[in-house]
Amino acid sequence: MIEDFPFLRPEHQFRVAMCVEYRGSGYYGWQIQKTGVKTVQAELTEAISRVANEPVDLIVAGRTDAGVHASNQILHFDTSSYRKEYGWTSGVNTLLPNDISVQWTHPVDTGFHARFSARERAYRYIVYNAPMPSGILRDGLTWERRDLNLERMQAAAERLLGEHDFSAFRASNCQAHSPVKDVRELRLVRQGRLIVLQARANGFLYHMVRNIMGVLLAIGRGDKPVEWAREVLEGRDRNLGGITAPAAGLYFVRARYDRKDLPEREAGPAILDGFSGLGEV
C-alpha cells in the first residue's frame, strides 16, 4: 500500500529504480553526448520524462560505450510524479525504439544509488568461433575464425584475478580515479560454436573487459604464451597489451546490491539461456 511508503506519495519527491535491456549496435554508447549523437541515455531520458510529465535525470550502474549491449542495466531517477510500477514500465516502453526495453520498475528509498550502491558488476563477452561469420547475430557476437584453445585462455585469465593495477587494460581516455580493481571472476565456457567470458569485479575501467578479451584471444590463437597476460598486467602500460576486442560481443549483465527487494532476472543475454557452466552471476 502506498500509505506504507511515504516517499511514494504524489506530493513528495521519490526515487524509482529501473532495469533496462538494450542492443547497443545503433548507439554511441550510454551517455548523452554534446554532439547530439544517438545514445541510450538520451532515448530513455526522453521517454521517462514524457511519462513523468517532467524532466528527469538518469543515474546508471555502468556506462556502456559505443556498440556495447546490456541485458540487466540498472538506473534510477527522482520524480514528483506517482505512477504504479506497471505504469512506468509499460508507459516508457511504448515510447522507446524497439532495441531498448524496460524489464522492470521498482520504488526505492533515497538511500539507493544505481551507481554508488552497486557492490559488484558483471559482464559477459560472447565469441562466435567458426570458419564463417554468423549472418543472423553478427551485431551481437564477435567472430573469430581461428580455432581458440579454451584451456590456454582460462589459464591466462586466472593470472588476472584479484586486486591489481589494471592500467594496461584501460583506454587512454578512461576517467576513473584509480586503475586498481578487484577482479573476482574470469570464467570461460564453450558450448558449440560459442565461447563466453564471464567477468565479475567491484568495478571496471573504460574498455577493460574488451582489452582483457583482446589479450585472451591472442593467447587462445597461439600468437602469445599464457604468461603474456601477467606480463601485460605487471607492465601497467596499455601499449604492451593486444588489440581491443570489438564491442559487438560485450554485454553488461548484472549489478549487485546489498538489498533483497529488487526484482531478479536471468543474467542474459537471452541467447545464453540454458548455457551450461557459467553458474551464478
Side-chain angles (χ1 to χ4, degrees):
M1 298 293 291
I2 192 171
E3 290 78 9
D4 297 327
F5 301 93
F7 58 88
L8 293 182
R9 292 172 186 155
E11 64 270 18
H12 293 286
Q13 191 85 357
F14 62 95
R15 184 159 293 182
V16 177
M18 270 186 180
C19 174
V20 297
E21 179 176 289
Y22 53 84
R23 185 180 64 189
S25 308
Y27 298 92
Y28 199 75
W30 162 266
Q31 193 169 5
I32 292 174
Q33 305 290 320
K34 292 180 180 179
T35 55
V37 294
K38 191 177 180 182
T39 69
V40 179
Q41 184 182 19
E43 297 288 342
L44 279 162
T45 299
E46 180 179 355
I48 295 171
S49 296
R50 287 178 62 184
V51 174
N53 200 31
E54 64 180 6
V56 298
D57 293 319
L58 307 185
I59 305 296
V60 71
R63 290 179 294 182
T64 52
D65 53 310
V68 175
H69 322 288
S71 54
N72 282 289
Q73 180 68 273
I74 305 299
L75 62 88
H76 83 257
F77 59 92
D78 294 331
T79 179
S80 60
S81 299
Y82 171 70
R83 306 284 186 269
K84 293 183 178 180
E85 293 176 32
Y86 179 77
W88 283 117
T89 302
S90 61
V92 173
N93 276 337
T94 62
L95 299 172
L96 289 171
N98 59 14
D99 50 7
I100 305 176
S101 176
V102 178
Q103 298 298 304
W104 55 255
T105 305
H106 192 73
V108 290
D109 57 78
T110 54
F112 174 82
H113 194 284
R115 180 183 176 191
F116 296 128
S117 297
R119 58 180 175 82
E120 186 176 88
R121 293 165 176 84
Y123 284 85
R124 285 175 172 172
Y125 194 101
I126 308 176
V127 177
Y128 184 71
N129 194 201
M132 295 297 168
S134 169
I136 298 173
L137 298 173
R138 184 170 294 198
D139 288 342
L141 307 170
T142 288
W143 173 49
E144 173 55 51
R145 65 177 178 82
R146 293 170 61 183
D147 189 45
L148 296 172
N149 186 309
L150 199 69
E151 290 71 25
R152 287 170 53 84
M153 294 173 72
Q154 185 62 62
E158 289 170 5
R159 269 69 169 177
L160 305 178
L161 294 175
E163 187 173 83
H164 304 288
D165 181 332
F166 282 91
S167 292
F169 295 93
R170 72 189 297 186
S172 60
N173 55 343
C174 178
Q175 298 178 354
H177 296 302
S178 171
V180 177
K181 299 297 176 184
D182 180 15
V183 176
R184 298 160 183 174
E185 180 182 20
L186 289 172
R187 182 188 308 189
L188 287 136
V189 176
R190 183 197 294 270
Q191 189 163 306
R193 288 169 286 182
L194 298 183
I195 292 176
V196 180
L197 169 68
Q198 181 164 288
R200 292 188 301 113
N202 63 339
F204 290 91
L205 303 168
Y206 188 44
H207 284 180
M208 180 172 161
V209 178
R210 292 171 59 190
N211 288 333
I212 288 174
M213 197 63 188
V215 166
L216 297 183
L217 287 171
I219 292 171
R221 297 186 201 106
D223 296 336
K224 295 287 186 178
V226 170
E227 289 301 327
W228 183 58
R230 188 73 185 189
E231 293 171 8
V232 172
L233 176 70
E234 293 176 349
R236 300 181 183 181
D237 182 351
R238 177 69 197 110
N239 294 319
L240 298 176
I243 64 168
T244 300
L250 185 58
Y251 295 78
F252 182 95
V253 300
R254 185 77 76 202
R256 286 290 183 192
Y257 301 94
D258 288 324
R259 55 191 304 149
K260 303 296 184 182
D261 60 315
L262 297 179
E264 284 282 347
R265 295 181 70 236
E266 291 290 328
I271 57 174
L272 296 183
D273 286 354
F275 205 90
S276 61
L278 287 173
E280 293 294 323
V281 181

